[in-house]
């Protein structure tokens, strides 16, 4: 019903027309729902995409589903910024609110609401997605990740849905 994490994206790799864009994202979904995912993007021309200067990423609240991709406002962020991403299931049980905050800018930079439904037996994960070729990626830090469940799920860690940390017994 709620997920929150803070990412420090690190330096952008060189992006060219032959390498394609690069996306970093934490996501929340299940087999029957949309993918709720704030994305941190590196395009060949981040300046025209979000007004970025050299070395800056673009970030936006986003959701992917059968309708395609929908985005909230897109803004430029520095590679050493701490970006707090929060997903909250509203009281109607169907609407997810994404809130993206820049600690460096000291404000919310993107929001989006989507009717993506409840996430029973859902998963939360982190992705580094390259559309073409491979990259040498700077270290990314995900800090203070929190997951809140509607009900206790004693099998969450054992299924691996909770990621490598949960597979290895982390709580």
């Amino acid at each position: 019903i709620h997920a929150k994490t803070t990412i420090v994206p690190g330096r952008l790799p060189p992006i060219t027309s032959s390498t394609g864009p690069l996306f970093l994202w934490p996501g929340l979904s299940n087999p029957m729902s949309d993918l709720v995912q704030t994305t941190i993007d590196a395009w060949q021309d981040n300046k025209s995409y979000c007004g970025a200067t050299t070395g800056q990423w673009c970030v936006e609240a986003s959701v992917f589903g059968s309708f395609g991709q929908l985005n909230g406002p897109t803004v430029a962020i520095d590679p050493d910024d701490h970006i707090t991403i929060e997903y909250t299931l509203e009281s109607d049980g169907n609407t997810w609110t994404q809130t993206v905050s820049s600690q460096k800018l000291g404000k919310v930079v993107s929001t989006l609401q989507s009717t993506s439904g409840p996430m029973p037996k859902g998963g939360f994960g982190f992705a580094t997605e390259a559309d073409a070729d491979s990259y040498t990626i700077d270290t990314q830090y995900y800090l203070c990740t929190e997951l809140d469940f509607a009900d206790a799920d004693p099998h969450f860690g054992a299924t691996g849905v909770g990621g490598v940390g949960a597979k290895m017994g982390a709580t």
Side-chain angles (χ1 to χ4, degrees):
I1 61 170
H2 178 257
K4 181 178 179 181
T5 193
T6 297
I7 180 176
V8 181
R11 295 168 296 188
L12 277 80
I15 307 293
T16 67
S17 60
S18 65
T19 55
L22 173 67
F23 307 99
L24 313 177
W25 52 269
L28 178 67
S29 110
N30 71 28
M32 303 302 291
S33 71
D34 301 329
L35 172 58
V36 175
Q37 57 168 178
T38 291
T39 61
I40 299 173
D41 311 337
W43 296 91
Q44 184 180 0
D45 185 4
N46 270 6
K47 182 177 182 178
S48 66
Y49 186 64
C50 71
T53 60
T54 301
Q56 286 186 310
W57 293 86
C58 298
V59 64
E60 65 272 322
S62 185
V63 63
F64 178 78
S66 59
F67 48 81
Q69 192 92 32
L70 297 175
N71 294 330
T74 304
V75 299
I77 58 161
D78 291 334
D80 63 345
D81 201 343
H82 289 61
I83 305 300
T84 300
I85 299 165
E86 192 165 8
Y87 306 143
T88 303
L89 182 62
E90 298 300 332
S91 60
D92 68 2
N94 285 310
T95 304
W96 285 90
T97 299
Q98 293 182 57
T99 306
V100 184
S101 302
S102 161
Q103 290 184 20
K104 200 173 218 184
L105 297 175
K107 64 181 183 178
V108 171
V109 295
S110 188
T111 60
L112 183 67
Q113 283 194 321
S114 59
T115 306
S116 299
M119 300 284 175
K121 298 183 181 176
F124 180 84
F126 306 104
T128 301
E129 178 183 343
D131 275 5
D133 295 329
S134 62
Y135 295 90
T136 299
I137 305 298
D138 200 14
T139 302
Q140 303 156 29
Y141 295 95
Y142 286 90
L143 310 169
C144 304
T145 301
E146 303 170 12
L147 300 173
D148 296 306
F149 298 88
D151 299 303
D153 183 354
H155 304 290
F156 182 75
T159 64
V161 173
V164 174
K167 285 184 188 177
M168 302 303 172
T171 59

